Amino acid sequence: MLSVILPTYNEEKMIRRTADAVGRVLDGAGISYELVFVNDGSKDGTWEEIERTAAEDPHVTAVCFSRNFGKEAAMLAGLANASGDCCAVMDCDLQHPPKTLVEMYRLWEQGYEVIEGVKRTRGKESALHRASAGLFYRIISKAAKIDMSRASDFKLLDRRAVDALLLMPERNTFFRALSSWIGFRAVSVEFDVQERTEGESKWSTWSLIKYAVKNIVSFSTVPMQCVTVAGFFVLLLALVLGIQSLVKYFSGHAVEGFTTVILLVLIIGSVIMISLGIIGYYIAKIYEEVKGRPRYLISRRIGSSARKSDDDCENADRQEAGTAGEPGRT
Ligand code: UDP
Ligand code: MG
């Protein structure tokens, strides 16, 4: 059975439509499936819409987060609550074409374990968005040592790959890169990003910048090494200026150079501040990881994935991801 995981955040208009579209395609191809909706703390009627759809369509199961935990957490929750032999993750806005699912499933049947959807075209975007996405992917590709320039979250994973992903203990996950990092027999499938028909993208420029920084830091320590490089650079500058100042001192012209002093104080001051900021960011991330809070909290469930009674707010993460220890409640 194929489990299709659909993270949703304020997608009330898309639930029914996506469930129908995906169902039609998979039924048509004779693939048995379940749809796992993850309601990521939507503020509109998304959960009610999922409940309505589930009442009519026995393929639908769902979990509801207690608040918005972000798409990464939603995808992991979907994977943890899916019971299929393979799991596909796709957006709930039909920007990932359902017919590609069939293509992916056929590759899975041939024995591939990680089938990655790669974007043939990126869909409609502003020039600035395209340029910054390009820069982000160059950095992250270097960091993860995988070409990610056309990567997406649209993937189909074998049960073995899913279990491997769920074993990752880290809180700051980057699904797109982790799915390559785990290895296994991988192949990619091209697809065209469709246009969004209803609702709007949940990503503002600011949230994209935060997302980029977070993921670069979660995959690479290069920014911290830049601090060392900057240190050496400043040391070199110090040597040159030091020699110059000494020469001036001994030749009796030492009073001049006040501008140089101001400039040096400013430059070194900013380099130190930026460096501390970078190191501070890593420390903040370590702090988050050390606290070991669950990635998400589930408040409600529908369907076969109901391992606990409804309205039982549980520490789903630790139990389902197989990390040792009782949840924080007694
Ligand atoms: N999404 C989510 N939680 C969030 C933001 C988005 O589950 O905090 C879901 C959203 O409902 C959609 C998918 O992630 O199914 C992709 O979001 P969106 O279409 O806004 O992103 P874009 O396609 O613009 O990259
Ligand atoms: Mg979208």
Side-chain angles (χ1 to χ4, degrees):
M1 187 180 64
L2 165 68
S3 301
V4 182
I5 288 132
L6 298 146
T8 55
Y9 178 56
N10 296 349
E11 305 275 9
E12 58 180 355
K13 294 206 184 96
M14 291 309 298
I15 303 293
R16 180 67 60 100
R17 204 181 294 195
T18 306
D20 286 349
V22 175
R24 211 172 320 118
V25 170
L26 293 178
D27 278 331
I31 299 170
S32 71
Y33 67 94
E34 66 168 352
L35 301 177
V36 185
F37 282 99
V38 182
N39 174 28
D40 186 9
S42 302
K43 293 183 182 65
D44 62 359
T46 300
W47 182 247
E48 289 68 28
E49 194 54 45
I50 293 176
E51 282 180 325
R52 257 190 300 258
T53 314
E56 287 164 24
D57 186 347
H59 293 110
V60 174
T61 70
V63 290
C64 179
F65 281 0
S66 60
R67 64 167 171 85
N68 180 258
F69 282 94
K71 189 183 172 190
E72 291 288 329
M75 290 188 289
L76 286 171
L79 290 174
N81 287 286
S83 45
D85 309 307
C86 58
C87 301
V89 177
M90 72 187 286
D91 283 2
C92 190
D93 51 9
L94 289 179
Q95 285 190 294
H96 297 159
K99 64 175 187 325
T100 310
L101 276 179
V102 179
E103 212 178 309
M104 291 174 153
Y105 189 81
R106 299 290 174 235
L107 284 165
W108 174 73
E109 284 178 325
Q110 288 169 28
Y112 289 101
E113 288 158 317
V114 176
I115 297 111
E116 317 234 10
V118 296
K119 299 171 187 164
R120 189 180 296 133
T121 52
R122 290 189 55 97
K124 265 199 187 152
E125 280 174 341
S126 70
L128 181 68
H129 188 139
R130 198 176 294 257
S132 40
L135 176 68
F136 166 62
Y137 280 117
R138 261 209 302 285
I139 298 175
I140 196 85
S141 300
K142 269 236 161 64
K145 299 186 184 66
I146 310 157
D147 176 24
M148 304 253 312
S149 55
R150 298 187 303 150
S152 73
D153 284 332
F154 189 22
K155 294 177 198 293
L156 191 146
L157 305 170
D158 182 69
R159 174 57 40 201
R160 259 169 288 185
V162 172
D163 290 342
L165 268 183
L166 292 176
L167 276 178
M168 305 268 164
E170 69 222 63
R171 313 284 114 186
N172 284 301
T173 49
F174 184 35
F175 180 68
R176 229 167 257 209
L178 278 181
S179 64
S180 311
W181 184 90
I182 54 171
F184 293 98
R185 278 192 71 196
V187 68
S188 41
V189 170
E190 286 194 331
F191 72 95
D192 290 308
V193 178
Q194 311 293 307
E195 245 181 83
R196 203 182 230 288
T197 45
E198 293 287 347
E200 52 194 32
S201 172
K202 311 294 177 299
W203 297 94
S204 63
T205 311
W206 178 236
S207 65
L208 278 174
I209 294 173
K210 279 203 299 198
Y211 180 76
V213 171
K214 191 186 113 215
N215 289 322
I216 290 169
V217 165
S218 85
F219 247 89
S220 163
T221 52
V222 170
M224 251 199 300
Q225 281 139 27
C226 290
V227 173
T228 319
V229 174
F232 276 110
F233 195 72
V234 173
L235 178 69
L236 208 71
L237 198 77
L239 273 178
V240 173
L241 283 170
I243 292 170
Q244 192 211 28
S245 311
L246 283 177
V247 170
K248 276 201 174 162
Y249 178 78
F250 286 116
S251 57
H253 308 286
V255 207
E256 276 177 50
F258 197 58
T259 320
T260 320
V261 172
I262 292 176
L263 284 179
L264 275 180
V265 169
L266 291 177
I267 292 169
I268 294 175
S270 1
V271 170
I272 291 176
M273 297 285 240
I274 293 169
S275 307
L276 280 178
I278 294 173
I279 297 169
Y281 194 85
Y282 276 92
I283 295 178
K285 290 292 152 199
I286 296 171
Y287 176 59
E288 275 170 28
E289 295 285 341
V290 163
K291 275 193 289 190
R293 290 203 181 147
R295 294 184 188 117
Y296 52 84
L297 291 166
I298 289 174
S299 61
R300 254 170 284 227
R301 291 167 182 277
I302 301 175
S304 62
S305 60
R307 295 178 194 170
K308 282 271 164 88
S309 63
D310 283 355
D311 294 305
D312 178 16
C313 188
E314 68 191 40
N315 186 333
D317 183 42
R318 286 198 193 170
Q319 291 172 345
E320 289 164 17
T323 316
E326 251 303 284
R329 283 178 313 136
T330 45

